[in-house]
Amino acid sequence: MKKSFELPKHKNILVGVDNSADAQLAFLEAVSHALDDDSLLHIVTVLESDDLNVFQVLTKDTLAEKRMKVEKQLQEYKQSALDAGVKEVHIVLAEGEPGETIVKDVIPDVKPDLVVVGSAITKGIGKYLGSQASYVAKYSPVSVMVVR
């Protein structure tokens, strides 16, 4: 006699996005799960001030311009999810170190039951020390799906 296994449905999914190909795949995976489970989808991007030099950080216009660009990208992701049929989509713009910010700030605030992130990191010292995805997977209090 064959046993049938059924995975529990996720009610609240959080996906981390940026401009990497892996993050875009993570977004598609999260949308697919949100559709299958009829769940709420949160899309997060973490604005990293490390990408800016000291003069750019001190110039409010430069930081505001970068923030507006990231907010626009988040709105585009949100619209894509809604167009795909996800019923409820929220966006989150956080600031700091991505892995740590997602684990310490975003997850406690959003309270997801699944976090979906892309695996790759291609810039900075992080590519030598480990990815943000590995940080999230190691320290997240909820299930994490790493997509590549």
Side-chain angles (χ1 to χ4, degrees), residues 49-99:
S49 57
D50 290 352
D51 290 347
L52 302 173
N53 66 43
V54 68
F55 300 109
Q56 291 172 317
V57 170
L58 294 175
T59 306
K60 290 181 182 179
D61 291 342
T62 303
L63 196 54
E65 185 178 308
K66 183 169 183 174
R67 188 176 284 113
M68 283 177 48
K69 183 179 176 184
V70 171
E71 285 176 357
K72 183 180 180 213
Q73 290 173 328
L74 276 172
Q75 288 295 340
E76 290 170 358
Y77 274 111
K78 178 180 180 176
Q79 191 58 52
S80 293
L82 290 169
D83 290 346
V86 179
K87 292 178 185 169
E88 189 174 355
V89 182
H90 297 193
I91 56 173
V92 179
L93 175 57
E95 294 185 33
E97 194 64 32

Side-chain angles (χ1 to χ4, degrees), residues 5-48:
F5 294 98
E6 189 173 320
L7 292 172
K9 301 272 185 192
H10 297 104
K11 304 251 186 275
N12 193 6
I13 298 172
L14 173 67
V15 60
V17 297
D18 57 23
N19 289 327
S20 71
D22 280 0
Q24 292 171 10
L25 287 173
F27 172 74
L28 294 174
E29 190 73 37
V31 167
S32 176
H33 279 277
L35 289 169
D36 288 347
D37 294 350
D38 193 29
S39 64
L40 169 63
L41 179 65
H42 292 273
I43 305 168
V44 63
T45 291
V46 179
L47 183 62
E48 298 177 76

